[in-house]
Amino acid sequence: MKVALLYGGPSAEHTVSVHSAQNVEKILHKLGHHVIDIAIDLNGHWFLQKGPVDEHFSTEADVDIHPGEGLFADGKKLEVDVAFPVTHGHGGEDGLLQGLCALAYIPLASTDTLSSSVMMYKSIAQRLFSSAGIPTIPTYVIEGETIKECENEDEWGELLLTCRKTCGPSLFVKPEDGGSSIGVTPLDDPDEESFSEAVLLARNYGERVMVQQLVKPMCEVECALLEDPSWGLVCSPPALVVNPTKEKAKYLTYATKYALSGGDSLLCPAPIPTADQLTIMSYAKTAFAVGKCHLYARVDFFYNDGHIWINEVNTLPGLTLTSHYPVLIAQNGYTMEQVVAILLDDALEQYRKSLEKTYIPPVS
């Protein structure tokens, strides 16, 4: 197949995307596919690449996307069978790219626009999870206008008090629609200054800011999900995220997550009671279903002495050499070559089904 590998994007997770693409490109070549590398720069411009994925990509050949027609470069249509996105964050994981490809009639190896967007906006996703009986962390969402008012009127103390009433004395502040631990701050005993700094940092990366209860100790467990046409929805046993810097940092930082050596690791399966493992797997499948997710995802949880809270569903999990998804799904016997093959075949099948819908208006 001719596979357009889409990577980069106008996101704080741009570099993560590039590293994911470097890994996926090798897998696609190993499977015998012809890869068409398309880089998206930090301004959202698309460029056709002549060589393998690289952080410093060429900007010589612009790529245009035409609704109903597909991808074009230098005025010529690119022959593409399917697009494989390894974009993360804004513009690539929040439904915008998914909708754009759907309008251009490009088969896409990804979940759809709705689930991508909903799962990206975590407070909205929390409402779905809660409605399905999945425990969520106490959360307070701060609107952008509220943040502006606090800046102008210096009313951080009142907002801090409101957040602590909802979430508890210790807080975890993060962008509502962010990822990769970018723009997050744990606050053990916040005062007005540390709280305002944390909120403003998070606001740099998202439309709204989420303030949550800081779980102590913060144990994180994760599951990988994959829709296998032969077996249905497959869920890996939960694995414990081991943070080597736990004495210095109370959460997994960006640097720790993506370090080539000495970073975080996974303990598979998590050393927790079997009953809790099964509960977490059940919650992961339920979250996948209520979010109308498709194909694959990583579901993250907080765990503390039998207490379980869902954190988030990642609809385009990282696929770098140090990413968790490949390690998690390997517990179920899958190689990444098998996973990628399933994703590509499914993209074509879903596209075929979309063409079977009736689009002709009824005659009055």
Side-chain angles (χ1 to χ4, degrees), residues 46-324:
W46 294 31
F47 300 100
L48 183 66
Q49 303 301 294
K50 296 178 181 178
V53 173
D54 187 77
E55 290 190 52
H56 307 289
F57 47 76
S58 169
T59 57
E60 293 180 7
D62 289 291
V63 173
D64 301 313
I65 188 163
H66 294 190
E69 296 187 61
L71 296 168
F72 289 75
D74 293 332
K76 297 179 181 179
K77 183 172 181 177
L78 294 174
E79 296 300 323
V80 171
D81 296 311
V82 61
F84 196 111
V86 283
T87 48
H88 305 305
H90 297 287
E93 194 176 358
D94 54 3
L96 296 180
L97 176 66
Q98 289 74 13
L100 183 63
C101 287
L103 290 173
Y105 284 48
I106 301 170
L108 190 71
S110 167
T111 194
D112 66 13
T113 301
L114 175 67
S115 53
S116 298
S117 182
V118 170
M119 293 301 105
M120 188 73 173
Y121 288 85
K122 296 172 181 62
S123 71
I124 297 172
Q126 272 197 341
R127 297 177 197 175
L128 286 176
F129 301 150
S130 294
S131 70
I134 306 172
T136 59
I137 289 282
T139 300
Y140 187 86
V141 178
I142 308 175
E143 301 286 347
E145 287 302 316
T146 301
I147 296 172
K148 286 183 180 179
E149 290 173 6
C150 285
E151 283 188 280
N152 294 334
E153 304 296 332
D154 194 22
E155 295 179 348
W156 294 107
E158 185 176 341
L159 181 59
L160 173 58
L161 181 60
T162 300
C163 290
R164 295 183 82 166
K165 283 181 178 178
T166 302
C167 306
S170 298
L171 306 175
F172 195 73
V173 183
K174 63 184 182 182
E176 182 203 14
D177 53 340
S180 291
S181 297
I182 296 172
V184 307
T185 308
L187 298 170
D188 264 324
D189 187 20
D191 55 20
E192 290 186 33
E193 182 178 359
S194 62
F195 176 71
S196 63
E197 288 176 354
V199 170
L200 292 175
L201 173 64
R203 181 64 179 85
N204 287 335
Y205 296 98
E207 295 178 28
R208 302 192 297 183
V209 173
M210 285 182 77
V211 180
Q212 297 183 312
Q213 175 185 330
L214 177 63
V215 178
K216 297 187 291 186
M218 184 183 283
C219 293
E220 297 180 68
V221 295
E222 302 175 345
C223 294
L225 292 104
L226 175 68
E227 287 194 304
D228 186 322
S230 299
W231 299 100
L233 182 59
V234 176
C235 181
S236 76
L240 175 68
V241 182
V242 180
N243 183 358
T245 65
K246 196 159 188 176
E247 295 304 316
K248 297 178 182 178
K250 297 179 176 64
Y251 71 103
L252 283 169
T253 65
Y254 178 90
T256 303
K257 282 185 175 181
Y258 299 106
L260 292 178
S261 62
D264 65 289
S265 60
L266 292 175
L267 191 55
C268 304
I272 61 178
T274 301
D276 291 342
Q277 290 187 30
L278 294 174
T279 298
I280 289 169
M281 293 169 71
S282 176
Y283 285 158
K285 287 185 174 182
T286 300
F288 190 90
V290 299
K292 196 181 172 289
C293 298
H294 185 61
L295 273 180
Y296 72 132
R298 194 191 70 239
V299 187
D300 301 347
F301 295 87
F302 296 127
Y303 180 85
N304 187 326
D305 193 25
H307 297 285
I308 301 164
W309 304 269
I310 191 168
N311 179 20
E312 64 177 340
V313 175
N314 192 317
T315 58
L316 274 179
L319 298 176
T320 71
L321 290 173
T322 58
S323 292
H324 291 179

